[in-house]
């Protein structure tokens, strides 16, 4: 599809979502969440369209989008692995798990594999403190991890 | 519920109105509470935590700037707990603050540095960053950013969003990764930035500054083959003294001339001269548009809006591209001067314009961007080579070892050193309008504008938007179509105020014929290139100096400026002539926001 018509289509989709929320600025977060789900990330173009339709400045939209870890402003892998980095998971052995994930995927945290399949990130507490170390792959939760178990789980997504 | 509450601050009883902040209450009794994110011009933010005080009945220390007084309380502003907390806050800020004071342009005028001294920070308990985290952003023609020095107080954001209505910057990311950024981490050159520089004058540290051209100007001065000419705008004269310890509102026009001569400028001219020229051109343009409408029954784009402020021009190009035809086609006085210098003056003085370097002293940061506009080359060269801010010129004067305050007076050079009082008041909000009224009324009616001592008071002062109506009881024959008509004008300063006017114009319900807009609050005297700090009080004092100087002049109307008339006679012909259009008028670029 040509870029222009693809952009027109996205612009239309943004309007539909914004319309659903009655063009209310205070629904910005919900709107960004939905768009993040549809496209995997919030592109420059998508954020501009949101700003235009809500009569916000583009910087305001970008400010909100970058504040939340679960909203992406740059393209990410198909599967986003988020390993909890907070204290109880650290005490339960998060560092060993982190190293195993690095080795398995050949990338560091904050990076995406060259095939676009996996992104590796740290996250703050995901509420699995009594069952750490814990991680999320997209919306699925994995807990009681150790290096082998973490690698096995990732292999299932390969 | 009583509106008055008695509070006790450091043992002093004071009665305040309910809702007064602790900071305001303390200021009333001359108790100093330090501030950083707080700024008189801006809305309260309460994030830097330097203004912490102890309030009885509250478990934690409270931020004085943002806590309203709602009950009779006892407040202590310098207990051990408070002092320790403030020192901690400073040490934490300094831990992330990269940059050495002695290479910083805010050295000795930095709020963080000052507080570190006042609060006895003598060691960096939390260590200190030793490597820069970010590259400096030097992409913009006007504004340079160094995020390594940023303390995240968000004054720039509030200035840009609330005060100026632009929104080029916002805080992005979170926690330790928080940065002040343009959309999608764009460099400043690509951001929707109008270059007004208001963020610079409100930054407490050296994270924002203007692009410095003083070294290039020194180079030109040192080069014997170059003739270096400087034109000085009205607003810096009323402010540059502040850089030399004089109180705000001290005019140093003639001492400044001496200093610039001593630095080595070959000619020192007065931008007021082209301010007068602007009035001739812009006034004629306005009367022409009115004639089109009233006599020739042609479509005329009204209201006409002034075009002297390059920050405003870029604001209009971004946010109101449909209103660009409303802008006067006149270049700003700075650019007119450049064009005249490299043509008329070069011929007259026998100088090869290729060897002429035109420098301007401006209260403005956006003027730097303006000099770089591709359309500003009508003399066949870059019309103005370098625009310097008041701060940069103050720095040059200091570097030359000149004691500005001790100097003798000297006049501007001939022939382009003569400006009227009307040109002078361009430096204050409403000044262009007042100058235009003084001239237009007299041209149309043959009589002086009906204001005591030529003070057009309705357009003076610091209200964000001012309006005035000028009734024309009888007109000379040429202008008979204006007889019995009322000219309606409006003045806005600060682009957030301009936005209000432009929204009305966009709706097509505007009744005005002529609008003056200045991008900076207070007009040029509150410009982004002026000495730091700025506040409403300082701006008022600078305005007073400018209006005071106007009243001391005998020449107070642009159309009576003999040098301007001579320029028309010898070179341009008549206002809005073909030649004027070539040299003194310009075009605009619709930019949009998205």
């Amino acid at each position: 599809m040509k870029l222009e018509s693809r952009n027109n289509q996205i612009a239309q989709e943004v309007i539909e979502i914004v319309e659903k929320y009655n063009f209310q600025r205070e629904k910005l977060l919900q709107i960004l969440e939905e768009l993040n789900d549809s496209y995997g990330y919030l592109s420059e173009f998508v954020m501009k369209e949101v700003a235009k339709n809500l009569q916000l400045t583009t910087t305001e939209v970008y400010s909100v989008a970058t504040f939340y870890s679960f909203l992406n402003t740059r393209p990410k892998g198909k599967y986003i692995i988020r390993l909890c980095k907070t204290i109880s998971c650290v005490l339960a052995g998060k560092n060993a798990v982190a190293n195993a994930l690095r080795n398995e995927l050949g990338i560091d945290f904050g990076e995406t594999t060259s095939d676009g399949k996996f992104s590796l990130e740290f996250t703050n507490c995901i509420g699995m403190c009594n069952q750490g170390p814990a991680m999320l792959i997209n919306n699925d939760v994995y807990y009681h991890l150790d290096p082998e178990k973490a690698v096995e789980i990732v292999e299932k997504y390969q | 519920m009583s509106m008055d509450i008695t509070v006790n601050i450091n043992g002093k009883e004071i009665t305040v109105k309910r809702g007064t902040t602790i900071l305001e209450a303390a200021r009333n009794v001359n108790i100093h509470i330090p501030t950083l994110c707080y700024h008189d011009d801006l809305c309260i933010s309460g994030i830097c935590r330097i203004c912490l005080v102890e309030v009885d009945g509250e478990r934690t220390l409270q931020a004085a700037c943002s806590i309203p007084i709602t009950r009779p309380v006892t407040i202590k502003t310098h207990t051990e707990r408070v002092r320790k907390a403030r020192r901690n806050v400073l040490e934490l800020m300094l831990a992330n603050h990269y940059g050495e004071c002695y290479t910083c342009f805010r050295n000795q005028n930095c709020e963080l540095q000052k507080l570190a001294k006042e609060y006895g920070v003598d060691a960096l308990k939390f260590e200190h960053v030793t490597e820069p985290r970010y590259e400096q952003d030097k992409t913009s023609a006007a504004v340079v950013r160094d995020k390594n020095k940023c303390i995240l107080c968000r004054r720039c954001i509030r200035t840009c969003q609330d005060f100026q209505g632009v929104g080029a910057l916002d805080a992005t990311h979170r926690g330790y990764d928080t940065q002040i950024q343009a959309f999608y981490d764009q460099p400043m050159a690509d951001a929707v930035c109008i270059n007004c520089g208001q963020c610079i004058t409100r930054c407490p540290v050296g994270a924002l500054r203007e692009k410095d051209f003083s070294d290039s100007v020194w180079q030109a001065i040192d080069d014997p083959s170059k003739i270096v000419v400087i034109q000085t705008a009205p607003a810096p004269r009323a402010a540059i003294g502040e850089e030399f310890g004089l109180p705000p509102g001290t005019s140093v026009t003639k001492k400044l001339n001496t200093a610039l001569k001593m630095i080595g400028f070959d000619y020192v001219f007065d931008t007021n001269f082209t301010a007068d020229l602007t009035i001739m051109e812009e006034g004629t343009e306005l009367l022409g548009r009115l004639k089109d409408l009233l006599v020739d029954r042609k479509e005329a784009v009204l209201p006409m809006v002034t075009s002297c402020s390059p920050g405003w021009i870029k604001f209009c190009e971004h946010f109101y591209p449909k209103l660009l035809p409303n802008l006067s086609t006149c270049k700003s006085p700075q650019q007119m001067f450049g064009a005249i210098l490299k043509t008329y003056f070069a011929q007259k003085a026998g100088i090869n314009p290729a060897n002429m370097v035109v420098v301007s002293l401006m209260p403005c940061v956006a003027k730097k961007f303006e000099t770089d506009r591709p359309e500003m080359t009508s003399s066949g060269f870059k019309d103005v080579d370098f625009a310097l801010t008041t701060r940069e010129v103050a720095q040059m004067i200091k570097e030359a070892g000149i004691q500005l305050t001790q100097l003798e007076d000297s006049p501007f050079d001939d022939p382009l050193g003569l400006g009227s009082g009307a040109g002078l008041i361009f430096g204050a909000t409403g000044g262009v309008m007042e100058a235009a009224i003084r001239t237009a009324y007299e041209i149309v009616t043959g009589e002086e504008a009906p204001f005591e001592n030529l003070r057009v008071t309705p357009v003076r002062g610091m209200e964000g938007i001012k309006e005035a109506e000028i009734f024309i009881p009888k007109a000379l024959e040429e202008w008979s179509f204006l007889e019995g008509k009322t000219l309606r004008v409006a003045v806005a300063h600060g682009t957030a105020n301009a936005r209000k006017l432009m929204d009305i114009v966009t709706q097509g319900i505007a009744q005005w014929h002529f609008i003056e807009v200045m991008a900076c609050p207070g007009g040029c005297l509150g410009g982004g290139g002026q000495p730091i700090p700025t506040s409403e009080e300082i701006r008022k004092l600078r305005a007073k100096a400018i209006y005071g100087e106007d009243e001391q002049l005998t020449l107070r109307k642009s159309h009576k400026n003999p040098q301007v008339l001579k320029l028309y006679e010898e070179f341009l012909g008549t206002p809005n002539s073909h030649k004027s259009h070539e040299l003194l008028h310009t075009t605009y670029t619709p930019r949009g926001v998205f």
Side-chain angles (χ1 to χ4, degrees):
Chain A
M1 199 185 292
K2 274 193 189 145
L3 183 69
E4 199 183 326
S5 57
R6 172 77 183 129
N7 278 350
N8 287 339
Q9 190 193 332
I10 293 175
Q12 195 49 45
E13 285 162 3
V14 171
I15 288 175
E16 278 163 25
I17 291 176
V18 173
E19 230 167 17
K20 198 169 86 185
Y21 290 102
N22 277 327
F23 296 90
Q24 286 175 282
R25 291 179 190 191
E26 58 268 36
K27 301 292 185 201
L28 175 62
L29 196 52
Q30 286 94 318
I31 292 167
L32 292 181
E33 261 189 308
E34 283 204 25
L35 291 166
N36 190 64
D37 284 349
S38 328
Y39 302 117
Y41 80 109
L42 301 164
S43 67
E44 203 178 333
F45 181 78
V46 165
M47 286 189 278
K48 278 182 183 175
E49 288 303 307
V50 172
K52 210 187 277 177
N53 285 300
L54 292 180
Q55 295 193 335
L56 291 164
T57 64
T58 48
T59 44
E60 280 171 295
V61 174
Y62 187 59
S63 173
V64 171
T66 55
F67 185 85
Y68 293 98
S69 322
F70 283 63
L71 295 178
N72 306 317
T73 55
R74 300 292 190 278
K76 285 280 163 75
K78 188 174 172 202
Y79 301 109
I80 303 177
I81 304 173
R82 294 183 166 103
L83 179 64
C84 175
K85 65 171 181 186
T86 36
I87 186 83
S88 12
C89 284
V90 173
L91 293 173
K94 159 236 147 192
N95 286 347
V97 174
N99 279 335
L101 290 172
R102 279 192 190 102
N103 287 339
E104 170 68 13
L105 297 170
I107 53 168
D108 204 348
F109 284 80
E111 294 177 356
T112 300
T113 53
S114 54
D115 60 0
K117 208 153 188 191
F118 290 100
S119 291
L120 200 48
E121 287 178 5
F122 285 120
T123 172
N124 284 313
C125 186
I126 49 174
M128 305 301 291
C129 311
N130 59 336
Q131 298 172 76
M135 69 176 179
L136 290 168
I137 298 184
N138 290 353
N139 290 325
D140 301 326
V141 191
Y142 298 94
Y143 43 91
H144 287 314
L145 296 175
D146 55 40
E148 293 77 34
K149 195 171 165 191
V151 170
E152 265 172 41
I153 292 166
V154 170
E155 272 170 358
K156 278 196 287 186
Y157 287 87
Q158 286 284 6
Chain B
M1 202 160 49
S2 160
M3 285 307 288
D4 290 334
I5 299 174
T6 303
V7 291
N8 181 312
I9 308 181
N10 295 352
K12 273 189 196 177
E13 294 271 320
I14 162 181
T15 305
V16 296
K17 286 234 160 355
R18 174 183 292 274
T20 308
T21 63
I22 296 175
L23 180 68
E24 286 163 346
R27 283 183 173 184
N28 283 341
V29 284
N30 284 324
I31 290 172
H32 174 69
I33 295 175
T35 50
L36 259 180
C37 70
Y38 178 89
H39 192 285
D40 284 334
D41 283 339
L42 306 173
C43 69
I44 290 165
S45 187
I47 49 172
C48 77
R49 316 314 281 176
I50 195 70
C51 65
L52 292 174
V53 293
E54 216 170 309
V55 180
D56 73 329
E58 300 289 343
R59 190 175 55 84
T60 54
L61 297 175
Q62 301 292 309
C65 71
S66 53
I67 298 290
I69 293 169
T70 53
R71 61 184 171 91
V73 281
T74 302
I75 296 156
K76 289 185 176 142
T77 69
H78 58 263
T79 60
E80 189 193 359
R81 197 174 158 214
V82 169
R83 295 195 314 269
K84 261 192 178 163
R86 286 188 189 152
R87 200 182 286 187
N88 258 324
V89 166
L90 284 167
E91 283 166 348
L92 283 166
M93 277 179 191
L94 289 167
N96 282 336
H97 181 75
Y98 173 84
E100 301 298 347
C101 286
Y102 36 78
T103 56
C104 180
F105 97 113
R106 292 294 293 273
N107 190 6
Q108 299 188 346
N109 187 16
C110 168
E111 295 179 42
L112 184 64
Q113 190 188 42
K114 190 163 162 262
L115 287 173
K117 181 163 164 40
E118 275 174 21
Y119 288 87
V121 176
D122 52 6
L124 295 168
K125 203 190 316 172
F126 305 108
E127 300 184 347
H128 187 51
V129 276
T130 51
E131 291 291 323
R133 283 174 76 191
Y134 309 105
E135 229 175 277
Q136 283 189 32
D137 182 349
K138 295 180 177 174
T139 56
S140 156
V143 182
V144 175
R145 291 186 64 214
D146 185 355
K147 287 190 283 179
N148 296 300
K149 290 177 181 163
C150 177
I151 57 166
L152 302 173
C153 71
R154 292 157 170 81
R155 275 193 198 169
C156 53
I157 298 175
R158 282 174 284 153
T159 303
C160 197
Q161 285 188 351
D162 306 340
F163 207 64
Q164 292 293 71
V166 176
L169 297 171
D170 210 330
T172 66
H173 303 89
R174 182 161 44 159
Y176 180 70
D177 298 320
T178 306
Q179 300 171 38
I180 310 302
Q181 276 296 18
F183 175 62
Y184 221 65
D185 303 336
Q186 281 163 338
M188 285 306 278
D190 300 336
V192 181
C193 167
I194 63 166
N195 302 309
C196 67
Q198 287 300 313
C199 52
I200 299 175
T201 58
R202 286 179 187 74
C203 181
V205 294
L208 284 154
R209 67 164 308 177
E210 67 272 44
K211 194 166 218 176
D212 189 348
F213 288 111
S214 53
D215 280 344
S216 314
V217 173
W218 277 121
Q219 228 168 40
I221 290 171
D222 292 340
D223 183 343
S225 68
K226 300 284 185 209
I227 302 290
V228 190
V229 184
I230 189 166
Q231 46 157 322
T232 75
R237 302 164 196 172
I240 198 165
E242 293 163 37
E243 294 275 358
F244 296 88
L246 296 174
T250 316
S251 232
V252 292
T253 313
K254 291 187 171 163
K255 288 186 170 32
L256 181 61
N257 291 346
T258 314
L260 295 171
K261 281 279 187 183
M262 285 169 77
I263 282 178
F265 288 102
D266 297 298
Y267 293 93
V268 180
F269 289 138
D270 191 346
T271 310
N272 295 356
F273 171 80
T274 38
D276 287 335
L277 193 59
T278 302
I279 289 297
M280 301 302 288
E281 291 293 323
E282 208 165 82
T284 309
E285 189 184 353
L286 176 66
L287 292 172
R289 290 195 194 194
L290 290 171
K291 189 162 178 273
D292 280 350
L293 182 77
L294 296 170
V295 181
D296 305 332
R297 303 282 163 197
K298 279 196 287 190
E299 285 257 332
V301 188
L302 287 168
M304 190 174 92
V305 189
T306 60
S307 57
C308 309
S309 167
W312 153 241
I313 294 299
K314 192 149 184 265
F315 183 89
C316 195
E317 289 176 336
H318 277 302
F319 295 97
Y320 296 95
K322 288 201 179 119
L323 297 185
L324 289 176
N326 289 69
L327 292 182
S328 160
T329 57
C330 289
K331 288 182 183 174
S332 73
Q334 162 179 279
Q335 293 305 132
M336 285 195 183
F337 219 121
I340 293 294
L341 280 171
K342 290 194 175 176
T343 53
Y344 172 72
F345 175 70
Q347 281 168 26
K348 225 176 146 94
I351 302 167
N352 178 357
N355 292 331
M356 189 191 280
V357 177
V358 175
V359 181
S360 61
L361 161 55
M362 293 285 146
C364 184
V365 179
K367 290 279 176 201
K368 292 173 188 285
F369 177 83
E370 189 182 31
T371 61
D372 278 352
R373 280 179 179 262
E375 59 271 23
M376 294 298 180
T377 52
S378 49
S379 62
F381 303 88
K382 191 179 174 192
D383 290 342
V384 175
D385 295 279
F386 304 107
L388 299 179
T389 61
T390 311
R391 296 187 293 265
E392 286 168 275
V393 170
Q395 171 64 33
M396 288 179 76
I397 294 174
K398 288 177 190 167
E399 205 172 340
I402 296 167
Q403 306 284 321
L404 181 77
T405 54
Q406 308 298 321
L407 297 180
E408 305 272 304
D409 288 356
S410 51
F412 287 101
D413 288 318
D414 282 333
L416 308 179
L418 185 65
S420 74
L424 179 75
I425 58 172
F426 265 52
T429 166
V432 178
M433 188 56 75
E434 178 161 348
I437 289 171
R438 285 182 194 176
T439 288
Y441 191 89
E442 199 164 314
I443 284 181
V444 170
T445 65
E447 283 169 21
E448 198 164 80
F451 293 94
E452 196 204 335
N453 203 7
L454 280 178
R455 291 180 200 133
V456 186
T457 43
V459 295
R460 292 190 182 186
M462 291 293 164
E463 298 103 282
I465 292 171
K466 292 164 280 187
E467 286 181 87
E469 292 190 348
I470 288 95
F471 178 66
I472 299 165
K474 63 177 184 53
L476 298 175
E477 202 187 322
E478 189 188 349
W479 306 105
S480 56
F481 64 94
L482 289 172
E483 194 160 297
K485 296 275 191 301
T486 300
L487 184 71
R488 278 183 296 272
V489 301
V491 174
H493 58 117
T495 40
N497 291 319
R499 192 180 269 280
K500 291 177 198 158
L501 291 186
M502 292 311 127
D503 284 342
I504 295 172
V505 175
T506 308
Q507 288 167 41
I509 52 172
Q511 297 293 311
W512 307 294
H513 302 104
F514 191 32
I515 297 177
E516 176 204 300
V517 178
M518 292 292 156
C520 290
C524 305
L525 55 89
Q530 291 280 65
I532 302 168
T534 181
S535 69
E536 174 119 0
E537 198 190 330
I538 292 172
R539 292 194 288 273
K540 278 181 179 159
L541 290 167
R542 290 175 187 161
K544 211 173 146 195
I546 288 176
Y547 286 119
E549 207 175 324
D550 164 46
E551 299 210 353
Q552 284 166 13
L553 296 173
T554 40
L555 176 63
R556 293 179 64 201
K557 298 169 204 160
S558 300
H559 60 286
K560 298 279 185 193
N561 184 333
Q563 293 294 359
V564 170
L565 299 175
K566 201 169 157 199
L567 174 68
Y568 278 115
E569 197 185 298
E570 290 182 2
F571 189 64
L572 292 172
T574 54
N576 290 7
S577 68
H578 181 67
K579 192 149 199 165
S580 297
H581 264 284
E582 254 174 27
L583 289 175
L584 309 179
H585 291 253
T586 186
T587 54
Y588 306 108
T589 317
R591 293 175 201 270
V593 185
F594 297 106

